[in-house]
Amino acid sequence: MSVTTPEERTPPATATLRSGSLGTADIAFFVVSAAAPLTVMAGVAPLAILLGGVGAPAGYLIAGITLAVFAVGFTTMSRYVKSGGAFYAYITRGLGRPVGIGAALLALLGYNGMEIGVYGLLGTASQDTVHALFGTEVPWLPFALAGLVVIGYGGYRSIDFGAKVLGVLLLAETGILVLLAGGVLIKGGAHGLSGASFAPGNVFVSGTAVVLAFAFAAFTGFESTVIYRREARSPERTVPRATYAAIGFLGLFYAFVVWIVIQAFGDEDVIAAAAKDPGGLFFSAITTYVGGWAADLMHVFIVTSVLASLLAFHNAINRYALALAEEGVLPKTLGRIHPRHRSPYVAGIAQTVLGAVVVLGFWAAGADPYGQLLLWVNTPGMIGLFVLQLLAALAVPCYFRRVRHREGALRTVVAPLVAAVLLATAIGLVITHIDLFTGASDTVNTVLIALAPAVFVAGLVLAWWLRRERPQVYAGFAAEPDERATASDSPA
């Protein structure tokens, strides 16, 4: 039986997001859940090991360090920029409104791509789980459609409800990996525990570039901490803490778990095991070191891991749509907030409908839910978010040149520029190895790569149109809450 709080019984005359609802742990749950650690480990890490060798764990550490450097400038700027527009607001304040509006459309592509494609993964993961537990073959579409309904309801409810759900699901998926780690450590691995994964000779090999591409992709969504600024308690402290906590946890946890599965098979044998059955590598390891019952649990928790990722991205998308509706760029209806749950429920409904259209469209075309719905929709979304991170890193020094502040050059210039170089390298790695992410033809890959720049250019065209036809909307774009009336100090 649900409990109705006094705040829910007597909502404000004009509903707003529920401020002060989220602490550091709550926001971190959203971010880490979006990354789907169990799914990334069981589904992708075996490929990183196969292509990069036993040095694969170091790739996740390198990616984590890179993103921590990015977070230095990013979180410093978060103390100054209070707009609900997150990435596009930061980019606008540093690089100007045209680039910011382009970034806003890119954010919609990125977050929608990262969520909607995952419904294909939900369908196949559910299929695999039912088959593993009951030996029954079932179609993927009903699972995907059921997921749309469940996630839509989760986004409709209050943000603290979502945080509690994600906390439980995240504990389940990380818990099963910790259980695997415990079994391997207690038994000493296949041939004793080895530190060869972190030896320079195994880290800096020809396959390292591929591992880094997979590793950077595994952190996708970590930057969404700032999206929850309006609902955070003491956001000047909470948002930076949650960002660093999420990056630190993911980087260390990913590296540790990949190292653990290497120990489970041994440095000499793990690559052959990954080549033989990459999808079953983690299930084989946990069956050997813990038991078959744990493998069954892992199947179930992969499904819940996917659901947690979907809910986290769904909430992020809704808040971007809400911010853009408040800006006047998207229809005002999308900016309506539920009077009781204080959630952007209309934006959530629209996002669920869009997801259903895409899922049903791929199903009607006879597309493979994993190889096409997941990979083809996720990939441009992932590239879009990487480009947003790069633009945000470039925006930091530009912003701090224009405002009075007491921050040091390390935070406002050095770290952001170093991060920009590293992020540009990561984007290059992903694009260069795009075939590993999609398994598609050169023509399809070219289209998928081109989507992000095409959407960004469309945003530049939209900025030109707004400046000409709706100058008031253009002038107020990404303004701070106390500036929205005039927004005269934003760069033009």
Side-chain angles (χ1 to χ4, degrees):
M1 181 173 133
S2 62
V3 177
T4 303
T5 66
E7 187 179 23
E8 290 175 327
R9 287 194 295 267
T10 57
T14 302
T16 59
L17 294 177
R18 184 172 288 130
S19 62
S21 298
L22 303 177
T24 299
D26 298 319
I27 298 174
F29 283 153
F30 277 103
V31 174
V32 176
S33 296
L38 175 57
T39 304
V40 166
M41 289 290 93
V44 181
L47 296 177
I49 294 170
L50 178 61
L51 298 170
V54 297
Y60 291 91
L61 286 180
I62 294 170
I65 292 169
T66 298
L67 296 176
V69 173
F70 166 77
V72 171
F74 181 61
T75 57
T76 300
M77 195 169 172
S78 74
R79 296 198 291 265
Y80 294 81
V81 179
K82 300 177 175 60
S83 168
F87 260 152
Y88 77 73
Y90 288 60
I91 293 166
T92 300
R93 305 295 283 186
L95 302 179
R97 293 189 191 94
V99 178
I101 293 171
L105 296 195
L106 201 54
L108 292 178
L109 169 72
Y111 283 100
N112 274 290
M114 289 304 298
E115 188 206 12
I116 294 173
V118 176
Y119 284 107
L121 177 59
L122 177 63
T124 56
S126 300
Q127 274 186 319
D128 292 343
T129 298
V130 171
H131 183 266
L133 298 182
F134 307 107
T136 305
E137 298 289 344
V138 291
W140 67 271
L141 183 64
F143 292 110
L145 295 178
L148 281 159
V149 174
V150 170
I151 299 306
Y153 175 73
Y156 173 80
R157 290 292 302 271
S158 63
I159 191 68
D160 45 347
F161 170 83
K164 292 180 176 65
V165 171
L166 290 179
V168 172
L169 297 182
L170 183 60
L171 287 174
E173 64 176 300
T174 54
I176 196 70
L177 290 171
V178 169
L179 187 64
L180 167 61
V184 173
L185 292 174
I186 289 171
K187 296 182 180 180
H191 310 294
L193 301 179
S194 164
S197 292
F198 304 100
N202 291 324
V203 173
F204 300 105
V205 295
S206 59
T208 299
V210 179
V211 175
L212 287 172
F214 283 127
F216 278 105
F219 286 81
T220 303
F222 82 91
E223 73 295 325
S224 61
T225 50
V226 293
I227 295 174
Y228 302 102
R229 179 187 179 88
R230 291 164 62 180
E231 294 156 289
R233 295 191 292 271
S234 303
E236 291 79 8
R237 295 191 301 272
T238 303
V239 169
R241 289 173 181 172
T243 304
Y244 284 118
I247 294 172
F249 173 80
L250 289 173
L252 294 172
F253 191 69
Y254 285 153
F256 174 67
V257 171
V258 176
W259 176 78
I260 280 292
V261 83
I262 290 172
Q263 304 314 301
F265 292 90
D267 295 337
E268 302 297 327
D269 301 321
V270 68
I271 296 176
K276 182 179 180 181
D277 184 16
L281 191 71
F282 274 72
F283 295 100
S284 175
I286 202 168
T287 299
T288 300
Y289 288 90
V290 183
W293 63 270
D296 291 341
L297 269 183
M298 183 175 280
H299 276 290
V300 173
F301 289 160
I302 282 181
V303 175
T304 61
S305 170
V306 174
L307 286 170
S309 178
L310 285 166
L311 180 57
F313 274 114
H314 181 74
N315 277 301
I317 295 163
N318 295 348
R319 280 148 184 80
Y320 257 114
L322 170 67
L324 287 170
E326 292 173 342
E327 301 276 12
V329 174
L330 292 181
K332 290 187 180 296
T333 303
L334 295 177
R336 293 177 63 183
I337 295 173
H338 196 278
R340 178 184 175 190
H341 299 304
R342 311 279 280 279
S343 61
Y345 73 107
V346 176
I349 293 171
Q351 203 283 326
T352 300
V353 171
L354 174 62
V357 169
V358 174
V359 168
L360 289 171
F362 272 80
W363 170 78
D368 181 78
Y370 184 93
Q372 292 171 312
L373 174 55
L374 171 67
L375 300 182
W376 291 12
V377 177
N378 256 195
T379 299
M382 175 181 63
I383 294 172
L385 293 185
F386 281 157
V387 173
L388 282 175
Q389 291 171 14
L390 174 60
L391 291 174
L394 294 172
V396 174
C398 296
Y399 172 78
F400 281 108
R401 286 183 60 191
R402 295 191 177 102
V403 301
R404 297 179 64 181
H405 63 88
R406 296 183 179 179
E407 308 291 345
L410 179 63
R411 287 178 170 274
T412 60
V413 179
V414 177
L417 291 181
V418 170
V421 173
L422 295 174
L423 287 167
T425 303
I427 293 170
L429 289 173
V430 170
I431 291 175
T432 303
H433 299 92
I434 194 72
D435 56 310
L436 297 177
F437 289 91
T438 66
S441 66
D442 290 343
T443 301
V444 171
N445 287 335
T446 300
V447 172
L448 296 180
I449 292 170
L451 276 175
V455 168
F456 181 74
V457 170
L460 297 179
V461 173
L462 175 61
W464 172 83
W465 181 84
L466 288 172
R467 186 172 189 174
R468 180 177 175 180
E469 301 295 332
R470 301 178 66 188
Q472 189 173 6
V473 170
Y474 180 82
F477 186 79
E480 293 294 89
D482 56 353
E483 300 172 338
R484 196 163 293 280
T486 58
S488 60
D489 65 337
S490 292

